[in-house]
Amino acid sequence: PAARTRGSDPRLGPAARPRRSSRPRGVVAASPRPAGFKAGFQQGIKVIKKSGEKGKLQGEIMQLQGKIKDVKKAMGATIYDALLAGDQNLIDSVFGGYKAQVDELEGKITAKSTRMAEIDADV
């Protein structure tokens, strides 16, 4: 007995045929995307990147503000001893050293804040 296939045995049903497309061969379907899709997509990516950069800057600013608090606490402990000794030169020296550290950190905060404002203006 020969092997049975769908086309040769009526009990197995009709032979399976591959589905044919209604489009002629070589014709590419039109893109379902609207005309401005690519530009809108690129703009969305730009906004997401800028939001990420802005969030990173905000985090860095918070860290710098924490460092400023730490520097001021350290200054308080150091300057206390100078105040007890009544040595104005030592007080000025201690204050000047810590003030320079705080000024440097505040300068970094200002630069990051300026960059955030630029991001807001550009979006």
Side-chain angles (χ1 to χ4, degrees), residues 33-73:
R33 297 181 189 131
F37 177 80
K38 186 174 181 179
F41 182 76
Q42 289 174 338
Q43 179 64 23
I45 296 245
K46 185 178 176 182
V47 168
I48 290 170
K49 284 182 181 179
K50 289 186 182 274
S51 295
E53 184 180 357
K54 188 174 174 185
K56 179 183 172 198
L57 289 169
Q58 287 172 335
E60 291 172 355
I61 287 172
M62 289 174 60
Q63 286 179 335
L64 290 169
Q65 289 170 338
K67 287 181 181 180
I68 288 174
K69 284 184 180 181
D70 293 342
V71 168
K72 287 179 178 180
K73 283 181 186 178

Side-chain angles (χ1 to χ4, degrees), residues 75 91-101:
M75 180 189 69
I91 294 169
D92 293 341
S93 173
V94 169
F95 179 75
Y98 283 103
K99 183 177 183 324
Q101 291 178 24

